[in-house]
Amino acid sequence: MSEHTWQKSSYCSEGSSCLNVAATDGTIHLTESADPIGVILDARALAFDALLTALKKETPRV
């Protein structure tokens, strides 16, 4: 991967469609297992927390 210490999502089962997360100096980094070098999102901790809060408030799609 990269110099980050990546952790696989606990919601991920077997396979290559997983989300990996790493934290460095107040920044949260997300990437996919299929492309572990290509970070798909970098966010400051407060912004990431706001994103998670907003996502949790969304009505589940059926």
Side-chain angles (χ1 to χ4, degrees), residues 13-54:
S13 60
E14 305 276 330
S16 63
S17 298
C18 299
L19 183 67
N20 296 307
V21 63
T24 58
D25 297 328
T27 301
I28 307 299
H29 311 278
L30 297 176
T31 190
E32 296 179 86
S33 295
D35 184 16
I37 296 174
V39 173
I40 57 172
L41 175 71
D42 283 328
R44 300 304 274 164
L46 288 176
F48 188 70
D49 183 54
L51 172 65
L52 292 179
T53 299

